[in-house]
Protein backbone atom coordinates (compact mmCIF):
# COMPACT_ATOMS: atom_id res chain seq x y z
CA UNK A 1 0.00 0.00 0.00
CA UNK A 2 1.35 3.38 -1.02
CA UNK A 3 2.04 6.19 1.41
CA UNK A 4 -0.85 8.64 0.96
CA UNK A 5 0.40 11.22 3.46
CA UNK A 6 1.21 14.67 2.14
CA UNK A 7 3.18 17.70 3.21
CA UNK A 8 1.62 20.91 1.92
CA UNK A 9 3.94 23.80 2.74
CA UNK A 10 4.77 22.22 6.07
CA UNK A 11 1.22 21.08 6.84
CA UNK A 12 1.18 17.34 7.42
CA UNK A 13 -1.89 15.32 6.49
CA UNK A 14 -2.59 11.56 6.58
CA UNK A 15 -3.97 11.71 3.02
CA UNK A 16 -4.55 14.34 0.31
CA UNK A 17 -8.32 14.45 0.75
CA UNK A 18 -9.59 17.52 2.60
CA UNK A 19 -13.08 18.89 2.89
CA UNK A 20 -13.20 22.44 1.56
CA UNK A 21 -14.44 25.35 3.63
CA UNK A 22 -18.18 25.14 3.00
CA UNK A 23 -21.42 23.79 4.51
CA UNK A 24 -19.87 20.31 5.18
CA UNK A 25 -17.38 21.89 7.63
CA UNK A 26 -19.78 24.12 9.51
CA UNK A 27 -19.55 22.35 12.90
CA UNK A 28 -17.50 20.05 15.06
CA UNK A 29 -20.14 17.35 14.66
CA UNK A 30 -19.70 17.36 10.88
CA UNK A 31 -15.90 17.57 10.79
CA UNK A 32 -15.48 14.83 13.38
CA UNK A 33 -17.82 12.54 11.40
CA UNK A 34 -15.80 13.33 8.28
CA UNK A 35 -12.53 12.40 10.00
CA UNK A 36 -14.07 9.15 11.20
CA UNK A 37 -15.06 8.41 7.58
CA UNK A 38 -11.45 8.85 6.43
CA UNK A 39 -10.95 12.46 5.30
CA UNK A 40 -7.40 13.54 5.99
CA UNK A 41 -8.21 17.15 6.67
CA UNK A 42 -10.85 19.85 6.75
CA UNK A 43 -10.88 23.55 6.15
CA UNK A 44 -13.40 24.91 8.65
CA UNK A 45 -16.23 27.01 7.23
CA UNK A 46 -14.98 30.56 6.99
CA UNK A 47 -14.79 32.46 10.27
CA UNK A 48 -15.60 36.12 10.54
CA UNK A 49 -18.24 38.39 11.92
CA UNK A 50 -21.48 36.46 12.56
CA UNK A 51 -23.53 36.47 9.39
CA UNK A 52 -27.26 36.25 8.95
CA UNK A 53 -28.00 33.95 6.02
CA UNK A 54 -31.10 33.72 3.82
CA UNK A 55 -33.41 31.00 2.54
CA UNK A 56 -33.30 29.46 0.11
CA UNK A 57 -29.53 29.14 -0.55
CA UNK A 58 -28.70 26.35 -3.01
CA UNK A 59 -29.54 25.36 -6.58
CA UNK A 60 -28.47 22.34 -8.61
CA UNK A 61 -27.95 21.96 -12.36
CA UNK A 62 -28.87 18.57 -13.81
CA UNK A 63 -27.43 17.74 -17.24
CA UNK A 64 -27.64 14.72 -19.50
CA UNK A 65 -29.25 12.62 -16.82
CA UNK A 66 -26.64 13.49 -14.19
CA UNK A 67 -27.93 15.10 -11.02
CA UNK A 68 -25.94 18.03 -9.59
CA UNK A 69 -23.65 18.39 -12.58
CA UNK A 70 -23.32 21.97 -11.36
CA UNK A 71 -24.14 23.57 -8.02
CA UNK A 72 -24.79 27.14 -6.98
CA UNK A 73 -25.07 28.77 -3.55
CA UNK A 74 -25.82 32.18 -2.13
CA UNK A 75 -24.82 31.19 1.42
CA UNK A 76 -22.30 33.34 3.25
CA UNK A 77 -19.65 32.48 5.84
CA UNK A 78 -20.37 30.86 9.22
CA UNK A 79 -23.42 32.21 10.97
CA UNK A 80 -22.16 31.08 14.39
CA UNK A 81 -20.29 33.34 16.83
CA UNK A 82 -16.51 33.03 16.71
CA UNK A 83 -16.35 31.69 20.28
CA UNK A 84 -18.67 28.80 19.40
CA UNK A 85 -16.61 27.89 16.37
CA UNK A 86 -13.34 28.06 18.32
CA UNK A 87 -14.73 25.80 21.03
CA UNK A 88 -15.84 23.19 18.48
CA UNK A 89 -12.57 23.43 16.57
CA UNK A 90 -10.62 22.92 19.79
CA UNK A 91 -12.68 19.83 20.65
CA UNK A 92 -12.21 18.45 17.15
CA UNK A 93 -8.44 18.93 17.17
CA UNK A 94 -8.16 17.29 20.58
CA UNK A 95 -10.13 14.25 19.37
CA UNK A 96 -8.26 14.01 16.06
CA UNK A 97 -4.76 15.37 16.66
CA UNK A 98 -3.26 13.67 13.59
CA UNK A 99 -5.86 15.01 11.20
CA UNK A 100 -5.39 18.34 9.50
CA UNK A 101 -7.52 21.24 10.66
CA UNK A 102 -7.30 24.52 8.77
CA UNK A 103 -9.03 27.75 9.79
CA UNK A 104 -10.57 29.70 6.91
CA UNK A 105 -10.64 33.41 7.69
CA UNK A 106 -12.31 36.50 6.24
CA UNK A 107 -12.29 39.89 7.92
CA UNK A 108 -12.37 43.55 7.03
CA UNK A 109 -9.43 45.29 5.38
CA UNK A 110 -7.86 46.20 8.74
CA UNK A 111 -4.48 45.12 10.03
CA UNK A 112 -5.64 44.82 13.66
CA UNK A 113 -8.65 42.70 12.62
CA UNK A 114 -6.39 40.17 10.89
CA UNK A 115 -3.96 40.12 13.82
CA UNK A 116 -6.75 39.52 16.32
CA UNK A 117 -8.42 36.62 14.55
CA UNK A 118 -5.14 34.90 13.61
CA UNK A 119 -4.02 34.88 17.24
CA UNK A 120 -7.36 33.50 18.41
CA UNK A 121 -7.51 30.58 15.96
CA UNK A 122 -3.85 29.65 16.35
CA UNK A 123 -4.30 29.54 20.12
CA UNK A 124 -6.54 26.48 19.75
CA UNK A 125 -3.93 24.60 17.71
CA UNK A 126 -4.97 24.72 14.08
CA UNK A 127 -2.48 23.36 11.55
CA UNK A 128 -2.73 26.30 9.19
CA UNK A 129 -4.74 29.25 7.96
CA UNK A 130 -6.62 29.76 4.71
CA UNK A 131 -7.40 33.35 3.81
CA UNK A 132 -10.68 33.47 1.90
CA UNK A 133 -10.21 35.94 -0.94
CA UNK A 134 -12.55 34.06 -3.21
CA UNK A 135 -16.25 34.07 -2.27
CA UNK A 136 -18.04 36.06 -5.01
CA UNK A 137 -21.32 36.94 -3.30
CA UNK A 138 -22.54 38.76 -0.21
CA UNK A 139 -19.22 39.32 1.51
CA UNK A 140 -17.70 40.74 -1.67
CA UNK A 141 -20.34 43.46 -1.61
CA UNK A 142 -18.92 44.49 1.78
CA UNK A 143 -15.34 44.69 0.51
CA UNK A 144 -14.21 41.16 1.44
CA UNK A 145 -13.84 37.81 -0.36
CA UNK A 146 -13.44 38.21 -4.12
CA UNK A 147 -13.56 42.00 -3.75
CA UNK A 148 -10.06 41.59 -2.32
CA UNK A 149 -9.16 38.62 -4.49
CA UNK A 150 -9.49 40.64 -7.70
CA UNK A 151 -6.82 43.13 -6.62
CA UNK A 152 -3.23 41.84 -6.36
CA UNK A 153 -2.15 44.82 -4.23
CA UNK A 154 -4.84 44.15 -1.63
CA UNK A 155 -3.97 40.46 -1.51
CA UNK A 156 -0.29 41.19 -1.04
CA UNK A 157 -0.96 43.71 1.75
CA UNK A 158 -3.37 41.51 3.71
CA UNK A 159 -1.12 38.48 3.43
CA UNK A 160 1.73 40.59 4.80
CA UNK A 161 -0.45 41.60 7.76
CA UNK A 162 -1.29 37.97 8.49
CA UNK A 163 2.32 36.86 8.20
CA UNK A 164 3.34 39.49 10.76
CA UNK A 165 1.72 37.37 13.50
CA UNK A 166 1.01 33.93 12.01
CA UNK A 167 2.89 30.98 13.48
CA UNK A 168 1.36 28.38 11.14
CA UNK A 169 1.48 28.11 7.32
CA UNK A 170 -0.73 30.55 5.43
CA UNK A 171 -2.75 29.42 2.39
CA UNK A 172 -4.42 32.02 0.18
CA UNK A 173 -7.65 30.92 -1.49
CA UNK A 174 -8.04 32.63 -4.87
CA UNK A 175 -11.07 33.64 -6.89
CA UNK A 176 -11.51 32.45 -10.49
CA UNK A 177 -13.52 35.61 -11.22
CA UNK A 178 -10.53 37.33 -12.73
CA UNK A 179 -8.87 37.54 -16.15
CA UNK A 180 -5.59 35.84 -15.24
CA UNK A 181 -5.28 34.08 -11.89
CA UNK A 182 -1.49 34.04 -12.10
CA UNK A 183 -1.34 37.72 -11.18
CA UNK A 184 -3.19 37.25 -7.89
CA UNK A 185 -1.25 34.04 -7.22
CA UNK A 186 2.00 35.94 -7.66
CA UNK A 187 0.76 38.65 -5.30
CA UNK A 188 -0.01 36.06 -2.65
CA UNK A 189 3.47 34.60 -3.05
CA UNK A 190 5.07 38.05 -2.86
CA UNK A 191 3.13 38.77 0.32
CA UNK A 192 4.69 35.74 1.95
CA UNK A 193 1.97 33.11 1.54
CA UNK A 194 3.16 29.56 2.06
CA UNK A 195 0.64 28.09 -0.40
CA UNK A 196 -2.36 28.96 -2.53
CA UNK A 197 -5.66 27.15 -2.98
CA UNK A 198 -7.92 27.34 -6.01
CA UNK A 199 -10.52 27.75 -7.18
CA UNK A 200 -13.28 29.33 -5.19
CA UNK A 201 -16.71 29.46 -6.80
CA UNK A 202 -17.52 31.16 -10.10
CA UNK A 203 -20.02 34.01 -10.39
CA UNK A 204 -23.25 32.61 -11.73
CA UNK A 205 -27.00 32.80 -12.18
CA UNK A 206 -28.22 29.21 -12.02
CA UNK A 207 -31.45 29.62 -13.91
CA UNK A 208 -34.83 31.31 -14.20
CA UNK A 209 -38.15 29.77 -13.16
CA UNK A 210 -40.23 29.79 -16.35
CA UNK A 211 -43.54 29.80 -14.47
CA UNK A 212 -42.77 32.36 -11.75
CA UNK A 213 -40.26 34.41 -13.79
CA UNK A 214 -37.89 34.42 -10.84
CA UNK A 215 -34.16 33.67 -10.52
CA UNK A 216 -33.18 30.24 -9.14
CA UNK A 217 -32.79 30.22 -6.17
CA UNK A 218 -34.87 33.17 -5.09
CA UNK A 219 -35.55 34.76 -1.70
CA UNK A 220 -39.05 36.18 -1.33
CA UNK A 221 -39.30 37.27 -4.91
CA UNK A 222 -35.72 38.28 -5.64
CA UNK A 223 -32.50 36.48 -6.53
CA UNK A 224 -28.80 37.31 -6.56
CA UNK A 225 -25.63 36.10 -8.22
CA UNK A 226 -24.06 33.13 -6.48
CA UNK A 227 -21.04 30.86 -6.48
CA UNK A 228 -20.94 28.04 -9.07
CA UNK A 229 -19.09 24.78 -8.41
CA UNK A 230 -19.41 21.03 -8.94
CA UNK A 231 -18.18 18.73 -11.73
CA UNK A 232 -18.96 21.35 -14.41
CA UNK A 233 -16.18 23.67 -13.17
CA UNK A 234 -13.41 21.07 -13.04
CA UNK A 235 -11.79 21.97 -16.42
CA UNK A 236 -11.64 25.63 -15.39
CA UNK A 237 -10.10 24.79 -12.03
CA UNK A 238 -7.61 22.33 -13.50
CA UNK A 239 -6.39 24.90 -16.03
CA UNK A 240 -5.87 27.51 -13.30
CA UNK A 241 -3.96 25.04 -11.13
CA UNK A 242 -1.73 24.09 -14.06
CA UNK A 243 -1.13 27.71 -15.07
CA UNK A 244 0.02 28.60 -11.55
CA UNK A 245 2.02 25.40 -11.18
CA UNK A 246 4.09 26.16 -14.28
CA UNK A 247 4.59 29.83 -13.43
CA UNK A 248 7.98 30.29 -11.73
CA UNK A 249 6.81 33.65 -10.35
CA UNK A 250 4.24 31.83 -8.21
CA UNK A 251 6.54 29.12 -6.91
CA UNK A 252 4.56 27.91 -3.89
CA UNK A 253 2.50 24.73 -3.31
CA UNK A 254 -1.12 24.49 -4.46
CA UNK A 255 -4.18 22.98 -2.83
CA UNK A 256 -6.50 22.02 -5.71
CA UNK A 257 -10.25 22.72 -5.56
CA UNK A 258 -13.03 22.61 -8.15
CA UNK A 259 -15.29 19.78 -9.28
CA UNK A 260 -13.21 17.00 -7.73
CA UNK A 261 -15.53 14.02 -7.33
CA UNK A 262 -13.38 10.87 -7.30
CA UNK A 263 -9.82 9.52 -7.22
CA UNK A 264 -9.36 10.08 -10.94
CA UNK A 265 -10.05 13.78 -10.60
CA UNK A 266 -7.62 13.82 -7.68
CA UNK A 267 -4.82 12.23 -9.70
CA UNK A 268 -5.36 14.76 -12.50
CA UNK A 269 -5.02 17.68 -10.08
CA UNK A 270 -1.93 16.13 -8.46
CA UNK A 271 -0.26 15.52 -11.82
CA UNK A 272 -0.95 19.14 -12.78
CA UNK A 273 0.73 20.49 -9.67
CA UNK A 274 -1.62 20.30 -6.69
CA UNK A 275 -0.12 18.80 -3.54
CA UNK A 276 -3.56 17.91 -2.17
CA UNK A 277 -7.23 18.46 -3.00
CA UNK A 278 -10.26 19.94 -1.31
CA UNK A 279 -13.75 18.56 -1.98
CA UNK A 280 -17.18 20.04 -1.33
CA UNK A 281 -19.97 19.42 -3.85
CA UNK A 282 -19.32 15.68 -4.19
CA UNK A 283 -19.50 15.30 -0.40
CA UNK A 284 -22.74 17.33 -0.32
CA UNK A 285 -24.18 15.13 -3.08
CA UNK A 286 -23.08 11.69 -1.88
CA UNK A 287 -22.03 12.05 1.77
CA UNK A 288 -18.73 11.81 3.62
CA UNK A 289 -18.17 8.11 2.84
CA UNK A 290 -17.23 8.82 -0.78
CA UNK A 291 -13.73 9.30 0.60
CA UNK A 292 -13.44 5.53 1.06
CA UNK A 293 -13.58 4.99 -2.71
CA UNK A 294 -11.24 7.93 -3.25
CA UNK A 295 -8.64 6.42 -0.91
CA UNK A 296 -8.97 2.92 -2.38
CA UNK A 297 -8.79 4.20 -5.93
CA UNK A 298 -5.73 6.33 -5.32
CA UNK A 299 -4.02 3.49 -3.48
CA UNK A 300 -4.67 1.06 -6.32
CA UNK A 301 -3.52 3.54 -8.94
CA UNK A 302 -0.22 4.07 -7.16
CA UNK A 303 0.32 0.39 -6.33
CA UNK A 304 -0.32 -0.74 -9.92
CA UNK A 305 2.42 1.63 -11.07
CA UNK A 306 4.83 0.77 -8.30
CA UNK A 307 4.76 4.32 -6.92
CA UNK A 308 5.60 4.40 -3.23
CA UNK A 309 4.22 7.79 -2.25
CA UNK A 310 1.47 10.07 -3.51
CA UNK A 311 3.95 12.95 -3.24
CA UNK A 312 5.92 11.29 -6.06
CA UNK A 313 3.28 12.20 -8.66
CA UNK A 314 2.78 15.84 -7.67
CA UNK A 315 3.42 18.05 -10.69
CA UNK A 316 4.66 15.26 -12.95
CA UNK A 317 2.55 16.43 -15.91
CA UNK A 318 3.11 20.17 -15.51
CA UNK A 319 5.95 20.25 -18.06
CA UNK A 320 3.58 18.90 -20.72
CA UNK A 321 1.22 21.88 -20.33
CA UNK A 322 2.34 24.70 -22.58
CA UNK A 323 1.27 27.58 -24.80
CA UNK A 324 -0.30 27.01 -28.24
CA UNK A 325 2.76 28.52 -29.89
CA UNK A 326 4.89 25.61 -28.71
CA UNK A 327 2.70 22.85 -30.21
CA UNK A 328 4.04 20.76 -33.11
CA UNK A 329 2.32 21.89 -36.33
CA UNK A 330 3.52 18.76 -38.18
CA UNK A 331 1.85 16.28 -35.82
CA UNK A 332 -1.29 14.68 -37.31
CA UNK A 333 -4.00 12.27 -36.27
CA UNK A 334 -6.97 11.03 -38.29
CA UNK A 335 -10.20 9.24 -37.44
CA UNK A 336 -10.58 5.49 -37.97
CA UNK A 337 -14.02 3.87 -37.69
CA UNK A 338 -14.18 0.30 -36.38
CA UNK A 339 -17.01 -1.19 -38.41
CA UNK A 340 -17.44 -4.20 -36.15
CA UNK A 341 -18.87 -2.01 -33.37
CA UNK A 342 -20.36 0.80 -35.49
CA UNK A 343 -24.15 0.97 -35.13
CA UNK A 344 -24.55 3.22 -38.20
CA UNK A 345 -26.33 5.95 -36.31
CA UNK A 346 -24.54 8.44 -38.59
CA UNK A 347 -23.95 10.96 -35.77
CA UNK A 348 -20.29 11.21 -36.82
CA UNK A 349 -21.29 11.92 -40.42
CA UNK A 350 -23.82 14.57 -39.37
CA UNK A 351 -21.36 16.28 -37.02
CA UNK A 352 -18.61 16.25 -39.64
CA UNK A 353 -20.89 17.47 -42.45
CA UNK A 354 -22.61 20.22 -40.47
CA UNK A 355 -19.93 21.56 -38.16
CA UNK A 356 -16.51 20.24 -39.07
CA UNK A 357 -14.61 19.35 -42.28
CA UNK A 358 -16.92 17.10 -44.38
CA UNK A 359 -14.59 14.09 -44.55
CA UNK A 360 -16.86 11.17 -43.54
CA UNK A 361 -18.77 9.64 -46.46
CA UNK A 362 -21.73 7.28 -46.45
CA UNK A 363 -21.00 4.69 -49.13
CA UNK A 364 -22.86 1.56 -50.25
CA UNK A 365 -21.22 -1.75 -49.45
CA UNK A 366 -21.41 -3.96 -52.53
CA UNK A 367 -20.97 -7.11 -50.47
CA UNK A 368 -23.80 -6.51 -47.99
CA UNK A 369 -25.96 -3.96 -49.75
CA UNK A 370 -25.89 -1.82 -46.63
CA UNK A 371 -24.34 1.60 -46.13
CA UNK A 372 -21.05 2.09 -44.33
CA UNK A 373 -19.15 5.12 -43.05
CA UNK A 374 -15.73 5.84 -44.50
CA UNK A 375 -13.27 8.55 -43.45
CA UNK A 376 -11.36 10.31 -46.22
CA UNK A 377 -8.13 10.51 -44.30
CA UNK A 378 -6.52 12.96 -46.72
CA UNK A 379 -9.20 15.50 -45.78
CA UNK A 380 -9.48 14.67 -42.07
CA UNK A 381 -7.94 17.39 -39.85
CA UNK A 382 -8.01 15.22 -36.71
CA UNK A 383 -10.37 17.50 -34.80
CA UNK A 384 -11.77 14.60 -32.68
CA UNK A 385 -15.40 15.72 -33.08
CA UNK A 386 -16.60 12.42 -34.60
CA UNK A 387 -15.07 10.38 -31.77
CA UNK A 388 -16.61 12.74 -29.21
CA UNK A 389 -20.17 12.46 -30.55
CA UNK A 390 -20.00 8.71 -31.27
CA UNK A 391 -22.27 6.93 -28.75
CA UNK A 392 -20.24 3.68 -28.77
CA UNK A 393 -17.01 4.01 -26.78
CA UNK A 394 -13.94 3.03 -28.82
CA UNK A 395 -15.70 2.77 -32.18
CA UNK A 396 -13.95 5.82 -33.59
CA UNK A 397 -10.24 5.91 -32.83
CA UNK A 398 -7.90 8.80 -33.47
CA UNK A 399 -4.74 7.36 -35.03
CA UNK A 400 -1.38 9.10 -35.41
CA UNK A 401 -0.15 9.45 -38.99
CA UNK A 402 3.65 9.22 -39.22
CA UNK A 403 5.21 12.37 -40.62
CA UNK A 404 8.43 12.71 -42.61
CA UNK A 405 8.66 16.34 -41.51
CA UNK A 406 10.57 17.55 -38.47
CA UNK A 407 8.58 18.88 -35.52
CA UNK A 408 7.86 22.57 -36.03
CA UNK A 409 5.99 24.92 -33.69
CA UNK A 410 4.39 28.25 -34.57
CA UNK A 411 7.03 30.05 -32.55
CA UNK A 412 9.83 28.20 -34.39
CA UNK A 413 8.17 28.94 -37.72
CA UNK A 414 7.86 32.64 -37.03
CA UNK A 415 11.45 32.82 -35.81
CA UNK A 416 12.71 31.06 -38.92
CA UNK A 417 10.69 33.32 -41.23
CA UNK A 418 11.92 36.40 -39.38
CA UNK A 419 15.48 35.22 -39.95
CA UNK A 420 14.84 34.95 -43.69
CA UNK A 421 14.46 31.17 -43.79
CA UNK A 422 11.58 28.99 -44.96
CA UNK A 423 9.44 26.44 -43.17
CA UNK A 424 7.61 23.48 -44.63
CA UNK A 425 4.34 22.37 -43.13
Amino acid sequence: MADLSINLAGIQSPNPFWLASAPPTNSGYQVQRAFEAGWGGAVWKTLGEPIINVTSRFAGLNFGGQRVFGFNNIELITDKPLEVNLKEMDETKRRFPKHTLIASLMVEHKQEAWHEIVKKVEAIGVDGLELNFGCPHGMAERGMGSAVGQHPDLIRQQVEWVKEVAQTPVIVKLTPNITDIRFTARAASQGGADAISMINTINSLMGVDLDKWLPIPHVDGKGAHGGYCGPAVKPIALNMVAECARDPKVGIPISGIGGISDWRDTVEFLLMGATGVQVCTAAMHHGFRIVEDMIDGLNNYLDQRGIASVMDIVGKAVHTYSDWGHLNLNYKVVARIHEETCINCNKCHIACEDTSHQCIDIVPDAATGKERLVVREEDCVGCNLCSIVCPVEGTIEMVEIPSDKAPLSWNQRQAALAAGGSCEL
Side-chain angles (χ1 to χ4, degrees):
M1 180 176 291
D3 178 8
L4 296 190
S5 65
I6 63 166
N7 181 334
L8 175 76
I11 302 172
Q12 305 287 337
S13 181
N15 65 50
F17 302 111
W18 295 1
L19 285 174
S21 172
T25 60
N26 192 40
S27 69
Y29 169 76
Q30 292 169 283
V31 174
Q32 290 173 31
R33 286 187 60 237
F35 286 167
E36 289 171 349
W39 293 90
V43 184
W44 204 273
K45 188 170 173 63
T46 303
L47 308 176
E49 288 297 317
I51 299 300
I52 298 174
N53 272 296
V54 294
T55 60
S56 59
R57 306 177 188 180
F58 304 150
L61 175 67
N62 305 328
F63 183 78
Q66 179 178 341
R67 301 282 291 178
V68 198
F69 185 69
F71 190 83
N72 165 290
N73 85 90
I74 56 172
E75 185 170 287
L76 305 184
I77 65 175
T78 179
D79 52 9
K80 296 186 298 183
L82 179 62
E83 291 69 25
V84 174
N85 276 303
L86 293 179
K87 179 176 181 293
E88 294 183 9
M89 293 170 74
D90 182 45
E91 292 172 352
T92 302
K93 190 59 186 173
R94 290 178 186 277
R95 277 198 62 193
F96 297 89
K98 295 183 179 179
H99 287 68
T100 307
L101 187 63
I102 306 295
S104 173
L105 307 176
M106 182 191 291
V107 297
E108 295 177 282
H109 184 70
K110 295 179 179 177
Q111 184 180 23
E112 58 273 21
W114 280 109
H115 285 186
E116 181 180 356
I117 197 167
V118 167
K119 291 176 181 176
K120 285 183 177 179
V121 298
E122 288 194 332
I124 57 116
V126 296
D127 299 291
L129 312 171
E130 184 180 80
L131 314 187
N132 185 340
F133 295 147
C135 281
H137 54 273
M139 306 304 289
E141 295 159 9
R142 308 172 202 182
M144 292 178 273
S146 65
V148 175
Q150 293 171 335
H151 296 277
D153 55 336
L154 295 181
I155 291 177
R156 184 166 45 248
Q157 182 177 57
Q158 297 194 34
V159 173
E160 288 173 348
W161 288 344
V162 170
K163 289 294 289 184
E164 288 172 354
V165 296
Q167 301 298 310
T168 60
V170 174
I171 306 168
V172 174
K173 188 171 185 177
L174 299 172
T175 176
N177 300 303
I178 191 169
T179 303
D180 191 335
I181 200 168
R182 293 175 298 173
F183 291 100
T184 50
R186 292 169 185 170
S189 181
Q190 292 163 3
D194 300 284
I196 48 178
S197 57
M198 64 185 72
I199 58 174
N200 208 308
T201 52
I202 301 171
N203 250 328
S204 60
L205 169 57
M206 203 60 164
V208 180
D209 189 311
L210 298 184
D211 295 320
K212 300 177 181 177
W213 295 7
L214 288 173
I216 301 172
H218 71 88
V219 180
D220 194 21
K222 287 188 177 179
H225 68 108
Y228 190 49
C229 54
V233 312
K234 180 192 141 191
I236 299 169
L238 192 58
N239 169 60
M240 290 187 172
V241 166
E243 289 289 358
C244 288
R246 72 186 183 96
D247 184 345
K249 295 181 180 179
V250 176
I252 50 179
I254 300 170
S255 180
I257 313 169
I260 298 162
S261 303
D262 56 30
W263 69 267
R264 294 177 180 82
D265 296 334
T266 301
V267 171
E268 291 181 49
F269 273 78
L270 295 174
L271 289 172
M272 277 298 171
T275 301
V277 297
Q278 299 184 33
V279 178
C280 174
T281 307
M284 295 179 75
H285 190 184
H286 302 294
F288 289 151
R289 295 191 66 176
I290 61 166
V291 75
E292 296 173 2
D293 286 338
M294 299 172 90
I295 291 172
D296 286 345
L298 181 58
N299 249 323
N300 292 336
Y301 176 83
L302 296 173
D303 286 348
Q304 288 170 4
R305 286 159 178 77
I307 300 171
S309 167
V310 68
M311 292 293 290
D312 292 340
I313 67 171
V314 172
K316 293 300 184 186
V318 173
H319 71 283
T320 67
Y321 200 55
S322 184
D323 296 329
W324 193 95
H326 295 303
L327 304 182
N328 179 12
L329 301 175
N330 286 329
Y331 177 79
K332 184 176 182 182
V333 296
V334 298
R336 295 269 173 83
I337 299 174
H338 296 292
E339 294 186 31
E340 64 275 16
T341 55
C342 176
I343 60 175
N344 291 95
C345 67
N346 294 344
K347 288 186 71 70
C348 60
H349 170 75
I350 294 168
C352 190
E353 283 292 301
D354 289 355
T355 62
S356 192
H357 290 78
Q358 301 81 50
C359 63
I360 299 180
D361 297 325
I362 300 177
V363 300
D365 188 322
T368 65
K370 297 180 179 179
E371 293 180 333
R372 51 194 287 263
L373 295 159
V374 178
V375 178
R376 295 195 316 278
E377 294 189 1
E378 64 274 20
D379 295 324
C380 177
V381 302
C383 71
N384 294 353
L385 179 61
C386 56
S387 66
I388 293 170
V389 300
C390 178
V392 183
E393 189 75 28
T395 290
I396 299 182
E397 182 181 8
M398 303 307 297
V399 180
E400 180 180 351
I401 300 298
S403 173
D404 57 0
K405 301 172 184 174
L408 177 70
S409 71
W410 172 261
N411 292 344
Q412 292 169 326
R413 177 180 182 275
Q414 295 307 100
L417 293 175
S422 62
C423 290
E424 183 183 4
L425 292 175

